[in-house]
Coordinates of all heavy atoms in Angstrom, one line a residue:
A115 N 0.8 -1.2 0.0 CA 0.1 0.0 0.0 C 0.8 1.3 -0.1 O 1.9 1.3 0.7 CB -0.9 0.0 1.2
G116 N 0.4 2.3 -0.7 CA 1.0 3.5 -0.7 C 2.3 3.8 -1.6 O 2.9 4.8 -1.4
V117 N 2.6 2.7 -2.3 CA 3.8 2.9 -3.0 C 3.5 2.9 -4.6 O 2.4 2.4 -5.0 CB 4.9 1.6 -2.8 CG1 5.2 1.6 -1.4 CG2 4.2 0.3 -3.2
E118 N 4.4 3.4 -5.4 CA 4.1 3.5 -6.8 C 4.5 2.0 -7.5 O 5.6 1.5 -7.4 CB 5.0 4.6 -7.5 CG 4.9 4.8 -8.8 CD 5.8 6.0 -9.3 OE1 5.7 7.0 -8.6 OE2 6.5 5.8 -10.3
R119 N 3.6 1.5 -8.3 CA 3.8 0.4 -9.1 C 4.3 -0.7 -8.3 O 5.4 -1.2 -8.4 CB 4.6 0.7 -10.4 CG 4.0 1.8 -11.4 CD 4.8 2.0 -12.5 NE 5.1 0.7 -13.3 CZ 5.9 0.6 -14.2 NH1 6.7 1.8 -14.6 NH2 6.1 -0.4 -15.0
P120 N 3.6 -1.2 -7.3 CA 4.3 -2.1 -6.3 C 4.7 -3.6 -7.0 O 5.5 -4.2 -6.6 CB 3.2 -2.4 -5.4 CG 1.9 -2.0 -6.0 CD 2.3 -0.9 -6.9
D121 N 4.0 -3.8 -8.2 CA 4.5 -5.1 -9.0 C 5.9 -5.0 -9.4 O 6.5 -6.0 -9.9 CB 3.5 -5.2 -10.1 CG 3.6 -4.1 -11.1 OD1 3.3 -3.1 -10.6 OD2 3.8 -4.3 -12.3
R122 N 6.6 -3.8 -9.5 CA 7.9 -3.7 -9.9 C 9.0 -3.7 -8.9 O 10.2 -3.6 -9.1 CB 8.2 -2.4 -10.9 CG 7.2 -2.2 -12.0 CD 7.4 -3.5 -13.0 NE 8.7 -3.5 -13.6 CZ 9.2 -4.4 -14.3 NH1 8.5 -5.6 -14.3 NH2 10.3 -4.3 -15.0
L123 N 8.5 -3.8 -7.7 CA 9.4 -3.8 -6.5 C 9.7 -5.1 -6.2 O 9.0 -6.2 -6.3 CB 8.8 -3.1 -5.3 CG 8.5 -1.6 -5.3 CD1 7.9 -1.2 -4.1 CD2 9.9 -0.9 -5.3
V124 N 11.1 -5.4 -5.8 CA 11.7 -6.6 -5.4 C 12.5 -6.5 -4.2 O 13.0 -5.4 -3.9 CB 12.6 -7.2 -6.5 CG1 11.7 -7.5 -7.8 CG2 13.7 -6.4 -6.9
G125 N 12.7 -7.6 -3.5 CA 13.7 -7.6 -2.4 C 14.9 -8.4 -2.8 O 14.8 -9.5 -3.5
I126 N 16.0 -8.0 -2.3 CA 17.3 -8.8 -2.5 C 17.8 -9.3 -1.2 O 17.9 -8.6 -0.2 CB 18.5 -7.9 -3.3 CG1 17.8 -7.4 -4.5 CG2 19.6 -8.6 -3.3 CD1 18.8 -6.4 -5.2
Y127 N 18.2 -10.6 -1.1 CA 18.5 -11.3 0.1 C 19.8 -12.1 0.0 O 20.0 -12.7 -1.1 CB 17.4 -12.2 0.5 CG 16.0 -11.6 0.9 CD1 15.2 -11.4 -0.2 CD2 15.7 -11.0 2.1 CE1 13.9 -10.8 0.1 CE2 14.6 -10.4 2.4 CZ 13.5 -10.2 1.4 OH 12.4 -9.6 1.5
T128 N 20.6 -12.0 1.1 CA 21.8 -12.6 1.0 C 21.9 -13.6 2.2 O 21.4 -13.2 3.3 CB 23.1 -11.7 1.1 OG1 23.1 -10.9 0.1 CG2 24.4 -12.5 1.1
S129 N 22.3 -14.9 2.0 CA 22.2 -15.8 3.2 C 23.4 -16.7 3.2 O 24.0 -17.0 2.3 CB 21.1 -16.7 3.0 OG 20.9 -17.6 4.2
D130 N 23.9 -17.1 4.5 CA 24.9 -18.1 4.6 C 24.1 -19.4 5.2 O 24.8 -20.4 5.5 CB 26.0 -17.8 5.5 CG 25.4 -17.4 7.0 OD1 24.1 -17.8 7.2 OD2 26.0 -17.0 7.8
Y131 N 22.8 -19.5 5.0 CA 21.9 -20.6 5.5 C 22.0 -20.9 6.9 O 21.4 -21.8 7.3 CB 22.4 -21.8 4.7 CG 21.9 -21.9 3.2 CD1 22.7 -22.2 2.1 CD2 20.7 -21.7 2.9 CE1 22.4 -22.4 0.9 CE2 20.1 -21.8 1.5 CZ 21.2 -22.0 0.5 OH 20.6 -22.1 -0.6
S132 N 22.6 -20.1 7.6 CA 22.7 -20.3 9.2 C 21.3 -19.8 9.8 O 21.0 -20.1 10.9 CB 23.9 -19.7 9.7 OG 24.0 -18.2 9.6
S133 N 20.8 -18.8 9.1 CA 19.6 -18.3 9.8 C 18.4 -18.2 8.7 O 17.7 -17.2 8.6 CB 19.9 -16.8 10.2 OG 20.5 -16.0 9.3
G134 N 18.4 -19.0 7.8 CA 17.4 -19.1 6.9 C 17.9 -18.7 5.5 O 19.0 -18.2 5.4
R135 N 17.1 -18.9 4.5 CA 17.5 -18.7 2.9 C 17.6 -17.2 2.7 O 18.4 -16.9 1.9 CB 16.5 -19.4 2.0 CG 16.8 -19.4 0.6 CD 18.1 -20.1 0.3 NE 18.4 -20.1 -1.1 CZ 18.8 -19.1 -1.8 NH1 19.2 -18.0 -1.2 NH2 19.0 -19.1 -3.1
Y136 N 16.7 -16.5 3.4 CA 16.5 -15.1 3.1 C 17.1 -14.2 4.2 O 16.5 -13.8 5.1 CB 15.1 -14.7 2.7 CG 14.5 -15.6 1.7 CD1 13.8 -16.7 1.8 CD2 14.8 -15.2 0.3 CE1 13.2 -17.5 1.0 CE2 14.2 -16.1 -0.7 CZ 13.5 -17.1 -0.4 OH 13.0 -18.0 -1.3
G137 N 18.4 -13.9 4.1 CA 19.1 -13.2 5.1 C 19.4 -11.7 4.6 O 19.1 -11.3 3.5
T138 N 20.0 -10.9 5.5 CA 20.2 -9.6 5.2 C 21.5 -9.4 4.7 O 22.3 -10.3 4.5 CB 20.1 -8.7 6.5 OG1 20.9 -9.4 7.6 CG2 18.7 -8.6 7.0
S139 N 21.9 -8.2 4.2 CA 23.1 -7.8 3.5 C 23.9 -6.7 4.1 O 23.4 -6.1 5.1 CB 22.7 -7.3 2.1 OG 22.0 -8.3 1.4
S140 N 25.2 -6.5 3.8 CA 26.0 -5.4 4.3 C 25.8 -4.2 3.5 O 25.4 -4.3 2.3 CB 27.4 -5.9 4.4 OG 27.9 -6.0 3.2
Y141 N 26.1 -3.1 4.1 CA 26.2 -1.7 3.3 C 27.2 -1.7 2.0 O 26.8 -1.4 0.9 CB 26.5 -0.6 4.2 CG 26.2 0.7 3.6 CD1 25.1 1.2 3.3 CD2 27.4 1.5 3.2 CE1 24.8 2.5 2.6 CE2 27.2 2.7 2.5 CZ 25.8 3.1 2.2 OH 25.8 4.3 1.6
P142 N 28.4 -2.3 2.2 CA 29.2 -2.4 0.9 C 28.7 -3.3 -0.1 O 28.8 -3.0 -1.3 CB 30.5 -2.8 1.5 CG 30.4 -2.4 3.0 CD 29.2 -2.6 3.4
D143 N 28.1 -4.4 0.3 CA 27.4 -5.3 -0.6 C 26.3 -4.5 -1.4 O 26.1 -4.6 -2.6 CB 27.0 -6.5 0.0 CG 28.0 -7.5 0.3 OD1 29.2 -7.3 -0.2 OD2 27.8 -8.5 0.9
Y144 N 25.5 -3.8 -0.7 CA 24.5 -3.0 -1.2 C 25.0 -2.0 -2.3 O 24.4 -1.8 -3.3 CB 23.7 -2.3 -0.1 CG 23.0 -1.0 -0.6 CD1 21.8 -1.1 -1.3 CD2 23.5 0.3 -0.2 CE1 21.2 0.1 -1.8 CE2 23.0 1.4 -0.6 CZ 21.8 1.4 -1.3 OH 21.1 2.5 -1.8
L145 N 26.1 -1.4 -1.8 CA 26.6 -0.4 -2.8 C 27.0 -1.1 -4.2 O 26.9 -0.5 -5.3 CB 27.9 0.3 -2.2 CG 27.5 1.4 -1.0 CD1 28.8 1.9 -0.6 CD2 26.5 2.4 -1.5
D146 N 27.7 -2.3 -4.1 CA 28.1 -3.1 -5.1 C 27.0 -3.4 -6.0 O 26.9 -3.4 -7.3 CB 29.0 -4.3 -4.8 CG 30.3 -3.9 -4.3 OD1 31.0 -3.0 -5.1 OD2 30.9 -4.4 -3.4
F147 N 25.8 -4.0 -5.4 CA 24.6 -4.4 -6.2 C 24.2 -3.1 -6.8 O 23.8 -3.2 -8.0 CB 23.5 -4.9 -5.2 CG 24.0 -6.3 -4.7 CD1 23.5 -6.6 -3.3 CD2 24.8 -7.2 -5.2 CE1 23.7 -7.8 -2.7 CE2 25.1 -8.4 -4.6 CZ 24.5 -8.7 -3.4
R148 N 24.1 -1.9 -6.1 CA 23.5 -0.8 -6.8 C 24.3 -0.3 -7.9 O 23.6 0.1 -8.9 CB 23.3 0.3 -5.7 CG 22.5 1.5 -6.1 CD 22.4 2.6 -5.2 NE 21.7 3.7 -5.6 CZ 21.9 5.0 -5.2 NH1 22.8 5.3 -4.2 NH2 21.1 5.9 -5.6
Q149 N 25.4 -0.4 -7.9 CA 26.5 0.3 -8.9 C 26.6 -0.6 -10.1 O 26.8 -0.3 -11.2 CB 27.8 0.7 -8.3 CG 27.8 1.8 -7.3 CD 29.0 1.8 -6.4 OE1 29.9 1.1 -6.6 NE2 29.0 2.9 -5.4
Q150 N 26.6 -1.9 -9.9 CA 26.9 -2.9 -10.9 C 25.7 -3.5 -11.6 O 25.8 -4.0 -12.8 CB 27.7 -4.0 -10.4 CG 29.2 -3.4 -9.7 CD 29.9 -4.6 -9.2 OE1 30.1 -5.8 -9.8 NE2 30.6 -4.3 -8.0
A151 N 24.5 -3.6 -11.0 CA 23.4 -4.2 -11.6 C 22.5 -3.2 -12.3 O 21.9 -2.3 -11.7 CB 22.5 -4.9 -10.5
D152 N 22.3 -3.2 -13.7 CA 21.6 -2.3 -14.4 C 20.2 -2.7 -14.7 O 19.5 -2.1 -15.3 CB 22.3 -1.9 -15.7 CG 22.5 -3.2 -16.6 OD1 21.9 -4.2 -16.3 OD2 23.2 -2.9 -17.7
A153 N 19.8 -3.9 -14.0 CA 18.5 -4.5 -14.2 C 17.5 -3.6 -13.3 O 16.3 -3.7 -13.5 CB 18.4 -5.9 -13.7
F154 N 18.0 -2.7 -12.4 CA 17.2 -2.0 -11.5 C 17.2 -0.5 -11.8 O 18.3 0.0 -12.2 CB 17.5 -2.2 -10.1 CG 17.7 -3.6 -9.7 CD1 19.0 -4.3 -9.7 CD2 16.6 -4.2 -9.1 CE1 19.0 -5.6 -9.3 CE2 16.7 -5.7 -8.8 CZ 17.9 -6.3 -8.9
A155 N 16.1 0.2 -11.7 CA 16.1 1.7 -11.8 C 16.9 2.2 -10.6 O 17.6 3.2 -10.8 CB 14.6 2.1 -11.7

């Protein structure tokens, strides 16, 4: 609710499988994903 075109939003998860398949990420990894992946606006 309250977001623009919610069908185009995705979540990105990193995991070591020690706490589930869908874990959180670090800030440096976030920056690398953001700078190197052109699939995202």
